[in-house]
Amino acid sequence: MDESLIQTINKLQDALAPLGSGSASPVDLPQITVVGSQSSGKSSVLENIVGREFLPRGTGIVTRRPLVLQLINRRASSTTNNDLIDIQAIDSKGNKTENNPDEWGEFLHLPGKKFYNFDDIRKEIIRETEAKTGKNAGISSIPINLRIYSPHVLTLTLVDLPGMTKVPVGDQPKDIEKQIRDMLIKFISKPNAIILAVNSANQDLANSDGLKLAREVDPEGSRTIGVLTKVDLMDQGTDVIDILAGRVIPLTKGYVPVINRGQKDIENHKTIREALIDEKKFFENHPSYSSKAHYCGTPFLAKKLNSILLSHIRQTLPDIKMRIELALKKYETELNSLGPELVQSPSSIVLSVITDFCNDYKGILDGQTKDISSNELSGGARISFVFHEIFKNGIYALDPFDQIKDADIRTIMYNSSGSAPSLFVGTQAFEVLVKQQIHRFEEPSLRCITLVFDELVRILSQILQQPEYSRYPGLKEKISQIFIQFLRDCVYPTNTFVTDVIKSEETYINTAHPDLLKGSQAVSMVQEKLHPKPIQVDPKTGKPLSAQQQQQQAAAASAASAAALPDDDKSGSFFGGFFASKNKKRLVAMEAPPNVLKASGTMTDRETQETEVIKLLIMSYFNIVKKTIADLIPKAVMLKLITMSKIEIQKVLLEKLYGDKDLESLVKENELTTARRKECVKMVQVLKHASEIVSTV
Ligand code: GDP
Ligand code: MG
């Protein structure tokens, strides 16, 4: 039971390994991390715990990537004996190697490959270290995961980390000390990390790098275990009893003294088994330790670590449990959003995607978006902005008189009367000029359609950006194509409709429009402007006249002045203004009219007055049409483009997509989605399994 708990944690660790040891991992698992200065004996301690040699050796920083070492106790199979002395073999270099069918290693990065030869494990560690860090002694915090199955180990998870160095050697990076330190801190600062601080017993404990670092992240010393190596190298008469008793640097979890093989032992091919036997003898026979020999040595350390790890797991279990449940929920939700693996027929997928799309489209246009953003207008609101701000302002900014000049009015006045001078030329000139000006509404109206078209395309891509549409990239692309083509097809009749609206305004000038300024009103306004009168006084009462009375008077006056207009004799010919009288010579010579004949010269009073009247009427009528256009065009666009697309899009998509011969390839799933689903399925499986295990504890 207890063992399986650690094993489950181990499995979880493997499953979460692709996420790295960083914060991405949903569950921070308890593990024992080994820290200490270089050559303090870290690798030796680990090898002794495993009982086998498999770690790279050498000078300098040998351990350059974290090694997550999962030890798994398994009972020996019945066919081989479970004796400590295993099959021994001699490798090519003449070294003793042991191959035992019950003991093997597996790397996470080489799934399924079993290493029975521990020399090969060492080679693979070296190879894999160099693969990520190069040969130049750089370091990397990406762990190597190694799992060792053996009847001789207790189930444990240990992490071997690079030793702390002070001075970069060779072509090591200048900041190697900081790099290593940062990596160690990253590993041991996790609250679930148990710190195994390795110190040489023949050096001052107060100077121990491992303990110093451990204190930084665990000042109480509550999750730090001290290991004292090289006890055999201590001066005669000295021992570590004071340290063990907690009188030097106390640690809640205490210290364990061990003896590993020295350099000479290794050169003499002393096996670890032999070393373990010698270690046992040393403590049992040493005067200082003999009374507490069973609290010393590697086997005790392994047992202690195993029980600390177990109790730590039990302690942190509620938290781990919660995290597993949270992570499980997260992955289940994601899995749900990815949708089930392809079980539906292609046509039903197409149908449901189309339905979703159309609902999304209508929803956005109607302002029923799922996430109504507060800092940005979206969908229907943006279209409304196009209508009521951009288009309306564009229309209202049109000023007929930035094109019509007084001289033009005069020219048209003459022209529209043709060869027969008419009595009142204003009406015709007014119509010609107004028609020209109304035509100017066409351009902003067509521009309004383009803007709305752009907005609809924008809505389309906004919808298709949602993650649920990324599942079938082929279908997504096709929907986008069909939709845009359909919108283009709608734009054509919309343009026609809108230009027709404007054409109809141009074609018939409704001079009887109730809002249009009356001719007489215009005349009196002009007269008022040209010859402002002092406030009129009623000759009978001597009081100022009311506005109504004034108007009546003005009307009467204008009628009088119209009647009193000077006759031809006085003002010259009808075209009098055209030919400046100073050119009398040409008049006499009766030259042909010049190629371009324009009204020029100073205007007569009557001309000025008529021009002003026409201008007033143009302005008045232009404003009426402005209102109509600003009101009508959005309605037309709404009818012919927006509503049309809303109503028809489903039908169009169904027709076009169902007609597609290659429906099968349209609903081919995005590879990312497939991969992500696989990942989620795996995570859900692992987490569910873990959740089952932890919930039974
Ligand atoms: P690491 O750099 O911390 O991994 O240290 P190693 O495990 O590689 O050990 C460094 C050196 O110290 C090696 O030559 C070991 O043989 C030696 N050594 C480690 N532990 C002991 C010990 O308990 N006794 C003796 N005599 N030598 C040891
Ligand atoms: Mg080492």
Side-chain angles (χ1 to χ4, degrees):
M1 176 69 241
D2 284 351
E3 298 288 292
S4 76
L5 193 57
I6 300 185
Q7 284 207 36
T8 308
I9 299 277
N10 281 346
K11 272 184 207 146
L12 209 51
Q13 201 156 37
D14 278 2
L16 303 177
L19 303 175
S21 55
S23 52
S25 172
V27 190
D28 170 25
L29 300 170
Q31 54 193 13
I32 299 166
T33 36
V34 185
V35 293
S37 39
Q38 229 184 91
S39 294
S40 55
K42 297 179 302 298
S43 299
S44 304
V45 168
L46 285 179
E47 284 189 332
N48 275 12
I49 289 174
V50 177
R52 299 294 296 258
E53 292 175 64
F54 62 97
L55 292 174
R57 286 195 176 277
T59 50
I61 317 174
V62 179
T63 312
R64 294 191 281 123
R65 281 177 66 182
L67 177 74
V68 177
L69 183 61
Q70 302 175 347
L71 306 180
I72 291 157
N73 179 272
R74 64 184 294 280
R75 252 181 283 154
S77 59
S78 50
T79 50
T80 54
N81 70 30
N82 191 11
D83 201 19
L84 272 181
I85 310 301
D86 296 310
I87 307 154
Q88 301 220 337
I90 308 291
D91 74 5
S92 52
K93 287 183 198 133
N95 296 321
K96 266 182 275 180
T97 60
E98 298 165 70
N99 281 358
N100 179 342
D102 285 324
E103 265 185 308
W104 74 88
E106 279 177 35
F107 287 96
L108 185 68
H109 63 270
L110 296 171
K113 182 162 183 198
K114 292 183 177 176
F115 287 77
Y116 289 98
N117 186 324
F118 279 61
D119 274 336
D120 290 345
I121 294 182
R122 183 201 326 261
K123 282 176 199 150
E124 181 55 32
I125 294 175
I126 295 172
R127 201 196 60 75
E128 181 58 21
T129 300
E130 285 173 359
K132 282 279 173 350
T133 61
K135 292 194 182 184
N136 68 344
I139 61 163
S140 157
S141 64
I142 305 167
I144 299 174
N145 287 53
L146 170 63
R147 184 181 279 184
I148 289 177
Y149 295 87
S150 164
H152 309 305
V153 297
L154 286 175
T155 302
L156 264 184
T157 303
L158 297 147
V159 185
D160 191 15
L161 293 170
M164 281 178 278
T165 70
K166 292 276 181 293
V167 200
V169 288
D171 50 0
Q172 274 174 2
K174 290 275 173 300
D175 62 340
I176 189 84
E177 184 187 351
K178 186 180 177 303
Q179 280 192 30
I180 294 180
R181 215 188 119 85
D182 289 351
M183 191 204 291
L184 298 183
I185 290 280
K186 192 176 132 198
F187 270 85
I188 64 175
S189 56
K190 292 178 188 169
N192 274 354
I194 298 164
I195 307 165
L196 191 67
V198 177
N199 321 281
S200 313
N202 58 350
Q203 274 171 11
D204 191 356
L205 196 63
N207 288 331
S208 155
D209 289 325
L211 274 181
K212 261 192 235 161
L213 204 64
R215 291 216 131 189
E216 276 182 36
V217 295
D218 178 29
E220 321 274 271
S222 59
R223 53 186 178 91
T224 306
I225 306 159
V227 175
L228 301 166
T229 58
K230 307 189 188 179
V231 178
D232 58 319
L233 296 182
M234 291 183 79
D235 291 340
Q236 278 250 274
T238 60
D239 56 38
V240 290
I241 292 298
D242 273 357
I243 299 177
L244 296 184
R247 288 192 284 266
V248 182
I249 296 174
L251 290 175
T252 321
K253 301 217 184 297
Y255 291 84
V256 180
V258 297
I259 295 168
N260 305 313
R261 294 172 304 165
Q263 197 54 43
K264 262 223 182 86
D265 300 328
I266 294 166
E267 278 157 24
N268 294 337
H269 305 302
K270 185 177 180 178
T271 64
I272 290 185
R273 284 197 215 313
E274 287 157 10
L276 288 173
I277 293 165
D278 287 351
E279 182 191 39
K280 191 166 183 279
K281 277 190 204 149
F282 178 92
F283 287 116
E284 279 170 356
N285 298 328
H286 195 284
S288 306
Y289 311 113
S290 58
S291 61
K292 36 186 98 57
H294 52 290
Y295 294 124
C296 302
T298 308
F300 174 71
L301 177 64
K303 246 179 275 163
K304 187 171 168 131
L305 290 179
N306 175 265
S307 77
I308 287 177
L309 188 60
L310 270 176
S311 76
H312 192 68
I313 289 177
R314 270 197 218 98
Q315 226 177 61
T316 52
L317 212 55
D319 184 53
I320 292 178
K321 219 162 158 174
M322 193 194 71
R323 280 170 200 275
I324 289 174
E325 295 306 327
L326 278 180
L328 182 59
K329 202 171 269 170
K330 192 190 116 207
Y331 280 104
E332 277 176 338
T333 314
E334 189 182 342
L335 194 57
N336 219 25
S337 78
L338 288 174
E341 225 169 318
L342 192 58
V343 281
Q344 297 160 285
S345 68
S347 57
S348 66
I349 292 172
V350 170
L351 182 63
S352 80
V353 172
I354 290 178
T355 312
D356 285 352
F357 174 80
C358 293
N359 286 339
D360 284 351
Y361 183 62
K362 287 172 197 161
I364 288 186
L365 283 179
D366 297 342
Q368 300 158 342
T369 32
K370 283 172 236 167
D371 50 347
I372 290 186
S373 168
S374 58
N375 52 12
E376 200 186 348
L377 287 181
S378 69
R382 287 182 59 98
I383 291 177
S384 179
F385 184 82
V386 169
F387 285 157
H388 300 298
E389 294 294 327
I390 300 176
F391 176 63
K392 201 176 142 198
N393 287 336
I395 291 286
Y396 274 76
L398 286 181
D399 176 7
F401 299 110
D402 54 14
Q403 287 193 350
I404 306 177
K405 298 287 167 256
D406 286 1
D408 302 330
I409 298 179
R410 232 165 117 209
T411 308
I412 286 175
M413 255 158 58
Y414 293 128
N415 281 345
S416 59
S417 62
S419 53
S422 80
L423 272 179
F424 184 68
V425 293
T427 314
Q428 268 175 305
F430 160 76
E431 286 203 9
V432 171
L433 287 167
V434 146
K435 278 180 187 176
Q436 278 176 3
Q437 291 307 309
I438 289 175
H439 189 73
R440 292 175 70 190
F441 288 119
E442 188 176 282
E443 200 222 297
S445 299
L446 293 178
R447 169 112 189 95
C448 174
I449 298 172
T450 312
L451 287 174
V452 171
F453 172 86
D454 290 347
E455 284 303 323
L456 296 179
V457 172
R458 192 186 151 103
I459 290 174
L460 162 84
S461 55
Q462 204 182 335
I463 295 173
L464 292 182
Q465 251 169 34
Q466 290 173 287
E468 54 259 44
Y469 291 95
S470 60
R471 187 172 174 187
Y472 308 109
L475 187 56
K476 174 176 161 176
E477 182 58 37
K478 203 78 199 212
I479 288 181
S480 176
Q481 272 173 17
I482 296 174
F483 187 87
I484 293 176
Q485 189 50 51
F486 171 69
L487 284 180
R488 286 217 180 93
D489 293 347
C490 288
V491 163
Y492 184 72
T494 314
N495 281 348
T496 312
F497 189 88
V498 162
T499 42
D500 276 353
V501 166
I502 291 160
K503 250 186 221 148
S504 65
E505 288 286 348
E506 274 176 69
T507 309
Y508 179 62
I509 305 300
N510 181 12
T511 45
H513 196 288
D515 296 342
L516 183 63
L517 203 63
K518 298 275 168 299
S520 54
Q521 280 173 306
V523 169
S524 64
M525 278 163 77
V526 167
Q527 279 184 341
E528 178 69 15
K529 190 177 144 205
L530 293 178
H531 315 286
K533 290 197 181 97
I535 292 169
Q536 291 176 349
V537 179
D538 189 330
K540 290 173 203 155
T541 60
K543 284 181 193 156
L545 286 175
S546 71
Q548 203 193 347
Q549 284 169 317
Q550 278 195 31
Q551 239 178 25
Q552 283 169 350
Q553 276 217 353
S558 76
S561 72
L565 275 177
D567 59 25
D568 283 357
D569 278 339
K570 280 188 209 154
S571 71
S573 68
F574 177 75
F575 288 105
F578 252 98
F579 304 104
S581 50
K582 50 186 165 178
N583 223 336
K584 281 240 164 78
K585 270 188 195 153
R586 289 171 97 181
L587 287 179
V588 174
M590 278 191 62
E591 282 175 29
N595 281 343
V596 179
L597 194 56
K598 277 197 154 183
S600 63
T602 42
M603 286 197 273
T604 62
D605 257 9
R606 173 180 161 170
E607 278 170 350
T608 310
Q609 184 177 320
E610 277 192 16
T611 308
E612 288 302 315
V613 167
I614 286 175
K615 275 164 79 175
L616 265 186
L617 291 175
I618 288 175
M619 193 48 124
S620 169
Y621 196 80
F622 194 74
N623 284 339
I624 292 170
V625 181
K626 234 182 213 179
K627 259 194 213 156
T628 315
I629 296 290
D631 182 51
L632 260 185
I633 299 305
K635 288 175 180 169
V637 176
M638 195 54 126
L639 172 74
K640 298 296 252 184
L641 187 58
I642 301 174
T643 308
M644 187 68 164
S645 70
K646 228 159 69 172
I647 294 172
E648 292 291 310
I649 187 61
Q650 184 149 8
K651 204 179 98 201
V652 171
L653 283 174
L654 281 176
E655 270 171 12
K656 290 261 161 69
L657 286 170
Y658 268 56
D660 201 299
K661 281 179 217 106
D662 207 1
L663 217 55
E664 201 79 37
S665 74
L666 268 189
V667 296
K668 214 172 134 220
E669 254 194 331
N670 177 359
E671 278 163 29
L672 278 177
T673 309
T674 326
R676 189 66 197 152
R677 182 186 302 108
K678 246 190 207 148
E679 173 75 12
C680 285
V681 168
K682 190 181 102 195
M683 288 304 275
V684 166
Q685 236 172 19
V686 170
L687 290 167
K688 258 191 186 152
H689 179 60
S691 149
E692 273 164 27
I693 302 269
V694 290
S695 62
T696 56
V697 178

